[in-house]
Amino acid sequence: MRARELGRKSVVVGDRVGLVGDTSGAPGALARIVRIAERTSVLRRTADDDETTAEGRLERVVVANADQLVIVSALADPPPRTGFIDRCLVAAYDAGIEPLLCLTKADLAGPEAVLGYYTELELPYVLIRPDSDLAALRALLAGRVSVLVGHSGVGKSTLVNRLVPEAERAVGTVSAIGRGRHTSTSAVALRLPVEPGAGGDTGWIVDTPGVRSFGLAHVSAESLLHGFPDLVEATVDCPANCPHTADEAECALDAWVAAGKADARRLASYRRLLASRSGEGDPREPERNPGDPLAGS
Ligand SMILES: Nc1nc2c(ncn2[C@@H]2O[C@H](COP(=O)(O)OP(=O)(O)OP(=O)(O)O)[C@@H](O)[C@H]2O)c(=O)[nH]1
Ligand SMILES: [Mg+2]
Ligand SMILES: [Zn+2]
């Protein structure tokens, strides 16, 4: 339990804390959290899915002290949404956490469309099938605190169970996907097992409940651009205080895309995020481009 001297300070998954009392872990043992160490990173999101409720307007800390954000997206069932992945990338860069794209259900569909969209980004990725070897992923997770984020049903808990068999995380049924069912209801950090032959810190993996969207109300307009490193370079040619919106005739981003230096869909995605933050778009509506099945959020 939390000690009274912590006041209103919240304790979140990933926090490093000081404990006093009986830390034996035996049944009935009671220990108190007396101190929360300074956080090296804080991954936040705003719950703009349900902004009609007081709670939905709140900014939530997803996890503390993570150094890798594993953006889990299924290649099918549910289909990938690059708008959602782009939001996660913004959140990662804003929090100073390295992104890793984890494409699951590669047995159901190919990764070409998603990877094609991110060609200009040096975004590390892994492909996961039920029978795939997880060695590459394990190597990327070793010695780090990684947090899995993604829509419900993409296979986060399935993956955690393969990485940490003792975790026994509940997994949903495919038939329930799309009905808004969320199998996992709270975030849990699990220590990764020791690999044969490898020493040192094994690292931690944090499984989180599926989210419908990744709200970015807490990220400044300027910081939004950091989630788009393929666009950032162009803005040196923008006029001072350029808002980078489509109606800004002098904005250099249009010429950059026209010259083939970035994908037009990435610019459209950036501008949709700009618009949704200024209240022009409804974040509860899927952000779609006509003719672009990947673009939803
Ligand atoms: N075909 C296929 N199915 C998969 C794969 N990974 C997971 N699944 C299935 O997808 C369904 C949902 O998996 P979960 O692991 O519960 O998904 P989750 O992301 O933890 O979902 P929430 O806890 O609701 O956020 C389960 O029926 C899994 O068996 C995969 O690589 N291929
Ligand atoms: Mg789950
Ligand atoms: Zn501009």
Side-chain angles (χ1 to χ4, degrees), residues 278-289:
S278 60
E280 287 168 38
D282 183 343
R284 285 165 296 181
E285 290 297 315
E287 294 164 357
R288 268 181 198 281
N289 256 357

Side-chain angles (χ1 to χ4, degrees), residues 7-293:
R8 294 164 64 87
K9 231 176 148 191
S10 67
V11 188
V12 299
V13 169
D15 265 326
R16 304 273 168 168
V17 301
L19 293 175
V20 297
D22 183 351
T23 56
S24 66
L30 183 64
R32 288 184 309 138
I33 298 172
V34 292
R35 199 164 13 83
I36 303 170
E38 200 181 322
R39 294 166 177 166
T40 58
S41 73
V42 180
L43 179 67
R44 300 169 203 277
R45 76 177 184 101
T46 35
D48 63 4
D49 304 340
D50 47 10
E51 61 183 359
T52 50
T53 65
E55 201 206 345
R57 283 187 292 270
L58 274 183
E59 184 178 304
R60 293 182 186 162
V61 173
V62 180
V63 65
N65 299 318
D67 32 40
Q68 185 161 245
L69 181 68
V70 184
I71 306 164
V72 186
S73 171
L75 289 164
D77 198 17
R81 294 278 180 237
T82 52
F84 177 81
I85 298 171
D86 287 347
R87 283 172 173 271
C88 294
L89 288 172
V90 169
Y93 289 114
D94 184 62
I97 301 174
E98 279 184 58
L100 169 65
L101 182 59
C102 178
L103 299 171
T104 59
K105 310 200 188 186
D107 53 316
L108 302 182
E112 298 75 19
V114 177
L115 294 180
Y117 178 83
Y118 291 108
T119 317
E120 277 86 14
L121 249 75
E122 279 163 36
L123 182 60
Y125 72 92
V126 287
L127 291 181
I128 309 288
R129 287 179 296 141
D131 58 350
S132 60
D133 175 18
L134 297 181
L137 176 60
R138 284 202 173 92
L140 289 163
L141 299 177
R144 315 171 83 176
V145 177
S146 302
V147 52
L148 303 178
V149 296
H151 291 314
S152 184
V154 295
K156 298 177 295 296
S157 299
T158 301
L159 192 56
V160 163
N161 284 339
R162 291 182 66 194
L163 293 164
V164 191
E166 317 78 271
E168 294 177 1
R169 295 287 285 164
V171 298
T173 53
V174 171
S175 63
I177 295 170
R179 290 200 231 136
R181 195 176 134 174
H182 294 251
T183 304
S184 305
T185 53
S186 59
V188 173
L190 298 147
R191 195 191 282 278
L192 291 161
V194 180
E195 289 295 308
D201 184 6
T202 55
W204 291 79
I205 186 115
V206 182
D207 189 13
T208 68
V211 293
R212 278 182 56 200
S213 182
F214 207 105
L216 295 171
H218 60 288
V219 178
S220 71
E222 199 53 43
S223 295
L224 265 191
L225 194 57
H226 297 146
F228 295 80
D230 44 339
L231 301 178
V232 124
E233 218 184 306
T235 61
V236 296
D237 294 326
C238 285
N241 301 319
C242 178
H244 309 314
T245 49
D247 55 9
E248 177 59 48
E250 304 280 293
C251 180
L253 285 169
D254 300 275
W256 181 258
V257 164
K261 298 204 171 135
D263 193 317
R265 295 171 301 174
R266 287 276 293 165
L267 177 55
S269 176
Y270 168 62
R271 285 184 170 154
R272 272 196 304 275
L273 278 182
L274 274 180
S276 72
R277 288 185 70 269
S278 60
E280 287 168 38
D282 183 343
R284 285 165 296 181
E285 290 297 315
E287 294 164 357
R288 268 181 198 281
N289 256 357
D292 186 355

